[in-house]
Amino acid sequence: MNECYYDRRMDFFYNKTNTDTVDEWTGPKLIVVLCFGTFFCLFIFVSNSLVIAAVVKNKRFHFPFYYLLANLAAADFFAGIAYVFLMFNTGPVSKTLTVNRWFLRQGLLDTSLTASLVNLLVIAVERHMSIMRMKIHSNLTKKRVTFLIISIWAIAIFMGAVPTLGWNCLCDITACSSLAPIYSRSYLVFWSVLNLVVFCIMVVVYIRIYMYVQRKTNVLSSHTSGSISRRRTPVKLMKTVMTLLGAFVVCWTPGLVVLLLDGLNCTHCGIQHVKRWFLLLALLNSVMNPIIYSYKDDEMWGTMRRMICCSSEDRSQDRHSSRIPSTVLCRSTDTTGQYIEDSIIQGTICGKGDLGEKGNS
C-alpha cells in the first residue's frame, strides 16, 4: 500500500520530483516577474471593471452578447486576483507552503483560466448563432444566459478543484509532475489536451464565421460602385479574425504545450526555465480580451471614456446615437469594409434582404 503525504510541506515534493532549483527565481529575476505581474494585474482590474460597469450602466448593452462579455470580464478580473495570490506565494515561498495552500494557489489559476476559456467559447458560439441568422443579437433569454453563466463558473470551479478532489500524486510520488509537484502527470495531460481541443473548436467556429462573412462580402460588393471597398474588405476581415485567433494562440498555446510535455515526462525539454514566462504570457490574454472584445465597439469605448472623464457627450450626439444600434450600421460604399469588420464581433450583416425588410417597413 502506498504511503500518503498530506501533512508534508512543498519542499518535500520539490525534492522528490527532482525539480530544478538551480535557477531559483530570486533577486532581479523575481523583481522583473513581480513588476510585470503587478502592471498587468492593475490593468486587468481597471479595464475589466470598466467593461462590467459599462454593461451595467448602458441599457443598450442589456443583451446576451454583452452579458457574456461582462462575465468574461469578471473571469479575467478573477484571473488578476489569482495572479496576485500567486505572486505572494511564489519563488522561495513556494517550498514553505502547505499542501492545502499550494492546492489553493493552483486551483485559483486553473479556475480563472478555465472560466476565461469557456467564456470565449460561449461567446464564439453566440456570435456564430447570431451571424448565421443575420441578427444583431441571439435569441437567448435572460434565463438561458444566466444558466450559461452559472454553468461556466461551475465548470471552472470543478476543473480547478479536480486535483484537490483526488487526482493528485500525494499517495504516488512516482506519478508527480515537475512543474506541479503534487499534480499527477496524467492530470496535466488531460487538462492541456482538453484545453487544446476547446481551442480547436474555437478555431473552427471563427473559420466558419469568416467564410460566411466573406460570402456576404462578395454579395455586398456586387452592389457597390468602385473597387476600393472590394479590395479593402477581405484585408479588414483577415486582420480582425487573425487578431481574435492570434491573441489566443500566442497567449495560450506555449503554456499548454509546456504542461503537455511535462505530463509526458519530457525530462530534456527545459520546461523549468520558461514556465514563469509562459504564465505571464497566458495572463496577457486577460489583458487583451477587453481590448479585442470591447474597444472594437465604439459605443462601449465611448461609455467607458465618459466614466473615466466624468463627462457626458453633447446632447445632439446622444440623440443621434440613440437611434442607431451600437456598431451596427448599414453604411455607404465608402465604409463597407469597416462595417463588415465590426459585424464579425457584433454579429450582424446588413445584406440585401435586410435592406428589403427595412424598405417594406
Side-chain angles (χ1 to χ4, degrees):
M1 182 175 180
N2 293 333
E3 183 181 359
C4 297
Y5 302 94
Y6 294 102
D7 57 344
R8 297 287 187 137
R9 291 190 177 273
M10 288 305 300
D11 58 343
F12 171 80
F13 298 98
Y14 280 108
N15 295 331
K16 283 290 185 180
T17 55
N18 296 320
T19 300
D20 184 13
T21 58
V22 175
D23 188 21
E24 193 70 58
W25 282 64
T26 57
K29 289 185 178 181
L30 185 60
I31 292 175
V32 171
V33 173
L34 292 177
C35 289
F36 273 98
T38 301
F39 173 78
F40 290 152
C41 289
L42 288 176
F43 184 84
I44 288 171
F45 292 147
V46 173
S47 60
N48 287 286
S49 296
L50 287 173
V51 173
I52 297 173
V55 173
V56 173
K57 181 178 179 181
N58 196 331
K59 294 183 178 180
R60 298 169 192 164
F61 297 149
H62 292 181
F63 292 98
F65 170 75
Y66 290 105
Y67 294 145
L68 293 173
L69 183 67
N71 191 49
L72 174 62
D76 291 328
F77 188 95
F78 186 80
I81 296 175
Y83 194 80
V84 169
F85 187 84
L86 173 65
M87 287 193 299
F88 285 98
N89 294 275
T90 192
V93 181
S94 299
K95 293 185 177 182
T96 65
L97 299 177
T98 63
V99 168
N100 290 333
R101 191 171 181 85
W102 197 93
F103 272 136
L104 176 61
R105 189 190 81 172
Q106 297 304 122
L108 289 175
L109 288 173
D110 294 345
T111 299
S112 62
L113 296 180
T114 303
S116 296
L117 179 61
V118 178
N119 264 289
L120 291 172
L121 176 62
V122 173
I123 289 176
V125 174
E126 195 272 344
R127 288 297 86 199
H128 182 270
M129 293 170 54
S130 301
I131 289 179
M132 293 304 172
R133 297 177 181 178
M134 299 184 65
K135 293 183 178 181
I136 300 176
H137 299 288
S138 62
N139 293 328
L140 293 174
T141 62
K142 289 185 178 180
K143 290 183 178 180
R144 291 181 179 178
V145 174
T146 302
F147 174 77
L148 282 175
I149 292 175
I150 294 175
S151 299
I152 289 170
W153 284 103
I155 294 172
I157 293 173
F158 175 75
M159 291 301 298
V162 165
T164 309
L165 297 176
W167 200 344
N168 55 60
C169 61
L170 293 177
C171 297
D172 186 9
I173 297 298
T174 59
C176 291
S177 64
S178 176
L179 293 179
I182 56 178
Y183 276 13
S184 297
R185 289 193 298 271
S186 59
Y187 173 74
L188 288 187
V189 173
F190 164 78
W191 197 85
S192 57
V193 170
L194 177 63
N195 283 277
L196 287 172
V197 169
V198 174
F199 164 71
C200 292
I201 294 174
M202 289 181 59
V203 171
V204 172
V205 171
Y206 278 115
I207 288 177
R208 283 180 55 85
I209 292 175
Y210 171 75
M211 293 176 63
Y212 178 79
V213 173
Q214 189 177 43
R215 289 197 300 268
K216 292 301 297 182
T217 302
N218 294 332
V219 174
L220 290 175
S221 297
S222 63
H223 296 279
T224 60
S225 59
S227 59
I228 297 179
S229 63
R230 288 197 296 269
R231 291 197 302 265
R232 288 181 178 177
T233 298
V235 176
K236 289 179 178 293
L237 288 173
M238 183 61 69
K239 286 182 179 180
T240 302
V241 174
M242 291 305 295
T243 299
L244 295 172
L245 297 182
F248 190 82
V249 170
V250 172
C251 293
W252 279 85
T253 302
L256 292 176
V257 171
V258 165
L259 288 177
L260 182 59
L261 292 175
D262 188 30
L264 297 175
N265 199 23
C266 180
T267 57
H268 304 288
C269 298
I271 56 179
Q272 289 290 338
H273 303 288
V274 297
K275 60 180 182 180
R276 287 177 175 83
W277 298 115
F278 286 168
L279 180 60
L280 282 173
L281 192 60
L283 182 70
L284 271 177
N285 189 237
S286 296
V287 175
M288 299 175 69
N289 283 338
I291 298 174
I292 298 174
Y293 287 92
S294 300
Y295 299 165
K296 283 285 188 177
D297 188 325
D298 294 335
E299 188 168 346
M300 174 70 75
W301 171 244
T303 303
M304 291 189 293
R305 184 177 58 188
R306 288 193 294 270
M307 289 189 296
I308 295 174
C309 300
C310 298
S311 62
S312 59
E313 302 228 346
D314 186 76
R315 292 184 178 180
S316 62
Q317 294 179 352
D318 288 339
R319 286 196 298 269
H320 176 70
S321 61
S322 65
R323 296 193 297 268
I324 305 176
S326 174
T327 68
V328 182
L329 303 174
C330 293
R331 304 183 182 182
S332 64
T333 58
D334 293 333
T335 57
T336 302
Q338 182 64 37
Y339 162 65
I340 298 295
E341 178 181 327
D342 291 338
S343 298
I344 291 180
I345 299 177
Q346 296 304 325
T348 182
I349 300 175
C350 297
K352 181 178 179 181
D354 293 328
L355 297 175
E357 292 178 1
K358 291 181 180 179
N360 295 333
S361 61

